[in-house]
Amino acid sequence: RIFVLGIGFFTLCFLMTSLGGQFSAKRLGDSPFTIRTEVMGALESRGVLRRMSDMLEMLMKRMDILARLENSTDFHKGDEARFPLDRFQPAAGLMERIQAIAQNVSDIAIKVDQILRNSLLNGKVAEGRRDQCEVPRDPKYPDCAGKVEWMRARWTSDPCYAFFGVDGTECSFLIYLSEVEWFCPPLPWRNRTAALPSPPPLPRVQAAFRNDLAHLLDLIGTGKESLSFMKKRIRHLAQQWLRAARRLKQKLKGRQRDQKHILIHIGFLTEESGDVFSPRVLKGGPLGEMVQWADILAALFLLGHSLRVTVSLKDLQSHLGVPPGRGNCPLTNPLPFDLMYTDYHGLQQMKQHMGLSFKKYRCRVRVIDTFGTEPAYNHEEYATLRGYRTNWGYWNLQPTQFMTMFPHTPDNSFMGFVSEELNKTERQFIKSNKVSSMAVVYGKEASIWKGKEKFLAILNKYMEIHGTVYYETQRPPEVPAFVKNHGLLPQHEFQQLLRKAKLFIGFGFPYEGPAPLEAIANGCVFLQARFNPPHSSLNHEFFRGKPTSREVSSQHPYAEDFIGKPHVWTVDYNNSEEFEAAIKTIMRTQVDPYLPYEYTCEGMLERIHAYIQHQDFCTTLSPPLPPKAKSPAMQSPPSPLALSPNATHLVWSPSASRDPHAWPPVDSLQVWVSETRHACTETCRRHGLVCEPTFFRFLNKKEVFLQLSITCDSTEYEMNHLYPAVAENVHECYLQKEPLLFSCAGYNTKYRRLCPCRDYRKGQVALCRDCL
């Protein structure tokens, strides 16, 4: 009996200690019997109380058995001499105390159970943390159960979940998935401030043209050679920018413009992306991207918008409101920016750190993309299935969210940059001081000159050759001795060199940089190589991996197609006679300085203003769907298109209604059918027009084939970047199933494509005549 009593006593002590540990582990100084209703520990505490009550009850039963044995006469016979009855008196007192403790523990267990049950019913658990939630089965939230399962297994994989209050309980999962993310329905017992009527939005501030660039220079910051280069460029062109802003202000005649809050994140300058450009600024590295970014900053600022500029990941996270962790959680607050201009590096950083918010806000992104991204590479599923996937595509953005340096394809928006304009006095001075026998070679890196001895020898027979190749201690061996090399020149000194030279000559690389336009603007003739066959990702290492199948017929296709002779000569460098003849003709040709309007400060301001005012990628149009079966009584709405008077193409019908908010305006639309080897880009250009991808939705109908007298024995909806199109040899017509794949680019010898074309403003190919 003593042994049993001892076991019971030590069991009681052990249980008391365990119970105290369960509670006191939460907060030092709490009594073991303090009632706390936190999710973590509540169920464990209640379980311990129940186990303790059960064990004490078992102990009481054993004590009761011992008491009955003690009172039996058989038990005392022969034992009284060794075990007197008075020995058990203390045991009786201990038993009474155990009974009292057991009763108290039982009462406490009942009270804790009642408190927890009441708190579950009333939904008043401290800080909303509970563990009695069930996963709701709501057909409106089909992913809820799967997301809860994921959270059970992975909620510790990112500290951001704990930042939002996730603690491993079912309720914390559901609170997070319904209030931070949106995969589960709101919990009815939660006090949600979202249910309160939201305050009316603050009135939009009107954008006003600025007349000073000093604050922009402060916004750009310091600490990198690349930033210093951009600020020097902005200062150099400041007066031209300010004059252009005044002219555009007069042209808009006081039109109301909302001020946009804009984030400019230059991802390729961040340390995380390697920032390979800054160390090369003073060593002849490529500066085209920084030229473009400097001009974008100047244009956005002068248009009167509110800007934030970041070139570090830390600043990006701060401006976006990224929660601490690894980037799996949404932003802590609604995105404070209407627009975000970035590059491919910045796009990747935004996706990595914005979590689900990236999908929500990606319609506000504008990607500065030097060479462009065609729809076939942009659509992730299609690119993967059809072999178009590269390291730079598959973002599923609207293709016009990508903004290019030159108007390669209308699938993307043409952003551009600016070149310095000359006044009448400067133009006259240049014409009178040109040296007809002076040539400057396009290329600041020695590798560009390698293997060009043949061309240089022919050129040297007629002209004095100048170079601007970077070197530190000794002249690069790739540059022949007869070349006068100036080394790397500051921008204004390079401009002075171009103003004297007659010829600016390229040897095939770099592709599509700003320098040829600067040379032409300073009165030079640009001579470049023709590529036969054209360079593309299929046959040239430079383009391999880029998200475009564009075929480049020369070093600078824009100069070849949009400027041409007498300012631009494109010849076969493999034909020495043609090359030499071109040089002789150029020496005799007089040209004036020429700069396309779209590369002036005013042209760029005009273009960016139109994009900001009219491009809205967050309001999506209904995708085209396969037609459903119709009863004979149902009639299709009449087509808004009509056959042109000469019956060669379709135009917008004068009787059709117009959406006054549609941009570009629909009455600029013309529908042409391509030849089998022509993309829509080329088809429209042949008719003096530009392909307009936003108009594809009006062509993507069977009725359009009939209006063009195209026979369709069958019509299918499929996912293909060449559709809508017709395979004439078999009379099969195809319509586009996926709006993101509407593309001006691409052709196939099997198809003739339906092409949406529009007119454009003189010198401003990005805008139609009524687009401003």
Side-chain angles (χ1 to χ4, degrees), residues 287-299:
L287 302 178
E289 287 86 351
M290 279 174 281
V291 164
Q292 187 181 31
W293 274 109
D295 296 346
I296 291 170
L297 285 165

Side-chain angles (χ1 to χ4, degrees), residues 289 292-293 296 300 339-344 364-373 397-417 604 607-613 615-617 663 766:
E289 287 86 351
Q292 187 181 31
W293 274 109
I296 291 170
L300 292 172
L339 294 169
M340 298 183 290
Y341 287 81
T342 189
D343 51 30
Y344 260 124
R364 304 187 191 183
V365 172
R366 305 293 184 267
V367 184
I368 307 305
D369 176 13
T370 304
F371 290 96
T373 299
L397 301 178
Q398 292 292 333
T400 38
Q401 288 180 254
F402 297 98
M403 300 186 139
T404 58
M405 185 173 283
F406 293 95
H408 310 124
T409 169
D411 291 326
N412 303 145
S413 297
F414 164 44
M415 172 59 78
F417 57 93
M604 186 168 184
R607 192 164 56 248
I608 295 182
H609 155 74
Y611 290 154
I612 291 176
Q613 290 301 113
Q615 284 186 335
D616 181 6
F617 303 112
W663 195 83

Side-chain angles (χ1 to χ4, degrees), residues 587-632:
M587 293 179 68
R588 299 191 302 267
T589 303
Q590 295 295 321
V591 295
D592 294 331
Y594 172 73
L595 179 63
Y597 174 75
E598 54 200 359
Y599 284 97
T600 65
C601 292
E602 185 178 352
M604 186 168 184
L605 281 171
E606 183 180 276
R607 192 164 56 248
I608 295 182
H609 155 74
Y611 290 154
I612 291 176
Q613 290 301 113
H614 298 292
Q615 284 186 335
D616 181 6
F617 303 112
C618 297
T619 304
T620 56
L621 298 170
S622 299
L625 297 173
K628 297 180 180 179
K630 297 179 180 179
S631 65

Side-chain angles (χ1 to χ4, degrees), residues 209 241-255 257 299 302-303 597 601-610 761 764 767 772:
F209 284 94
W241 277 116
L242 294 172
R243 286 195 296 269
R246 288 193 292 268
R247 290 195 296 268
L248 182 59
K249 181 179 180 180
Q250 293 173 356
K251 189 183 297 185
L252 296 178
K253 299 177 181 178
R255 193 177 305 171
R257 302 180 299 117
L302 286 175
L303 286 170
Y597 174 75
C601 292
E602 185 178 352
M604 186 168 184
L605 281 171
E606 183 180 276
R607 192 164 56 248
I608 295 182
H609 155 74
R761 298 167 64 87
Q764 186 72 288
L767 304 179
L772 188 59

Side-chain angles (χ1 to χ4, degrees), residues 344-578:
Y344 260 124
H345 294 281
L347 189 66
Q348 182 65 50
Q349 290 168 350
M350 287 181 180
K351 181 179 180 182
Q352 181 180 354
H353 293 277
M354 289 175 68
L356 285 175
S357 294
F358 178 79
K359 185 176 181 180
K360 180 178 180 180
Y361 294 121
R362 64 182 177 182
C363 60
R364 304 187 191 183
V365 172
R366 305 293 184 267
V367 184
I368 307 305
D369 176 13
T370 304
F371 290 96
T373 299
E374 294 175 1
Y377 297 80
N378 170 62
H379 191 282
E380 183 175 16
E381 178 186 357
Y382 184 78
T384 304
L385 292 174
R386 300 295 184 93
Y388 290 105
R389 180 143 183 164
T390 68
N391 291 334
W392 301 102
Y394 64 84
W395 285 91
N396 290 327
L397 301 178
Q398 292 292 333
T400 38
Q401 288 180 254
F402 297 98
M403 300 186 139
T404 58
M405 185 173 283
F406 293 95
H408 310 124
T409 169
D411 291 326
N412 303 145
S413 297
F414 164 44
M415 172 59 78
F417 57 93
V418 304
S419 288
E420 188 170 356
E421 296 178 75
L422 306 177
N423 57 37
K424 291 183 179 179
T425 303
E426 291 170 326
R427 293 165 68 92
Q428 189 59 43
F429 177 82
I430 287 175
K431 288 179 67 176
S432 60
N433 286 274
K434 278 290 180 185
V435 179
S436 60
S437 60
M438 178 178 173
V440 176
V441 174
Y442 180 18
K444 295 174 293 185
E445 295 184 351
S447 59
I448 295 172
W449 295 65
K450 188 174 183 180
K452 306 301 188 298
E453 296 83 1
K454 180 180 178 181
F455 310 131
L456 291 169
I458 297 173
L459 181 61
N460 189 47
K461 290 172 25 180
Y462 301 96
M463 308 184 89
E464 182 182 72
I465 305 175
H466 294 251
T468 56
V469 182
Y470 168 80
Y471 63 93
E472 292 182 351
T473 56
Q474 60 183 9
R475 182 187 179 95
E478 294 88 349
V479 181
F482 54 77
V483 174
K484 185 177 181 180
N485 186 30
H486 299 262
L488 192 64
L489 293 177
Q491 185 66 17
H492 68 279
E493 293 185 26
F494 181 63
Q495 294 274 47
Q496 296 301 320
L497 190 66
L498 292 176
R499 291 182 179 188
K500 291 182 181 179
K502 177 71 174 183
L503 177 67
F504 189 64
I505 181 170
F507 289 135
F509 190 83
Y511 296 100
E512 300 179 310
L517 264 66
E518 294 177 354
I520 296 167
N522 283 285
C524 293
V525 174
F526 177 51
L527 177 64
Q528 64 172 345
R530 178 185 296 115
F531 300 147
N532 189 17
H535 291 181
S536 70
S537 59
L538 300 177
N539 61 11
H540 201 276
E541 187 62 33
F542 178 82
F543 291 100
R544 191 163 289 120
K546 291 183 170 57
T548 173
S549 57
R550 186 164 57 95
E551 295 179 334
V552 179
S553 58
S554 62
Q555 182 175 353
H556 206 291
Y558 176 85
E560 178 185 8
D561 296 333
F562 288 86
I563 301 177
K565 292 182 180 180
H567 302 280
V568 179
W569 289 65
T570 306
V571 301
D572 183 1
Y573 278 23
N574 293 320
N575 187 329
S576 300
E577 294 180 358
E578 183 182 357

Side-chain angles (χ1 to χ4, degrees), residues 258-275:
D258 288 343
Q259 185 186 64
K260 305 291 185 181
H261 296 279
I262 301 176
L263 174 69
I264 296 99
H265 177 61
I266 310 176
F268 71 84
L269 294 183
T270 61
E271 298 299 331
E272 289 76 12
S273 68
D275 188 14

